[in-house]
Amino acid sequence: MKRQVCIIFLLLIMIFPTVSFATETSSDTMILEWKTYKVWKDGENLCMSGEFENLRNDLKITRLNNFTAIITFMNNDGTSYQYVGQPEKMPMCKIAPNSKKRITFNLSKFDGNWTDWNVDAIYNFSYINGVNF
């Protein structure tokens, strides 16, 4: 009886291989790239919109874990200052292989004026390797 159960078990393993995916974490911009399109004030809140692009065809982005925006604001008189902030709420960010997703962040209260801006972003994310759909 034990032998038959073992044989059936081995046959099932061979017929239905188990595939499990474990998420991995990365901050590699060669996998997920951020492009900022707009920075504006909505009342007292500083907002930013842009797009994440999954550059790989074998990875699915499952979650944005952390996002820090480093915004350099420039004024007409040549002065500049930096703002470093994180979103008040992290948006849901699932991106299929070779796809893009537009995201808008609320970066909290901000009191300042500017004529031009430049954004550097530091972020990390989770992904599943080997997914191809």
Side-chain angles (χ1 to χ4, degrees), residues 4 10 16 18 27 36 42 50 69 71 77 80 86 94 99 101 118 133:
Q4 291 173 340
L10 289 173
F16 303 108
T18 58
S27 60
T36 305
D42 183 23
I71 306 172
D77 61 1
S80 64
Q86 295 182 324
K94 294 187 179 194
S99 297
K101 182 165 185 171
N118 183 34
F133 56 91

Side-chain angles (χ1 to χ4, degrees), residues 39-41 46-47 73-76 81 110 112-117:
V39 175
W40 75 97
K41 279 176 57 174
L46 182 65
C47 300
F73 293 108
M74 282 77 71
N75 295 317
N76 280 337
Y81 60 96
F110 179 75
N113 296 310
W114 66 87
T115 56
D116 200 10
W117 51 266

Side-chain angles (χ1 to χ4, degrees), residues 115-131:
T115 56
D116 200 10
W117 51 266
N118 183 34
V119 175
D120 289 321
I122 300 169
Y123 51 91
N124 65 22
F125 53 92
S126 297
Y127 65 92
I128 297 174
N129 196 359
V131 174

Side-chain angles (χ1 to χ4, degrees), residues 69-117:
I70 304 165
I71 306 172
T72 303
F73 293 108
M74 282 77 71
N75 295 317
N76 280 337
D77 61 1
T79 61
S80 64
Y81 60 96
Q82 276 194 338
Y83 171 85
V84 178
Q86 295 182 324
E88 289 189 350
K89 292 182 182 178
M90 200 62 65
M92 185 147 91
C93 187
K94 294 187 179 194
I95 307 171
N98 286 331
S99 297
K100 298 177 182 182
K101 182 165 185 171
R102 186 126 186 183
I103 304 273
T104 299
F105 294 112
N106 178 356
L107 298 172
S108 75
K109 295 195 183 295
F110 179 75
D111 184 28
N113 296 310
W114 66 87
T115 56
D116 200 10
W117 51 266

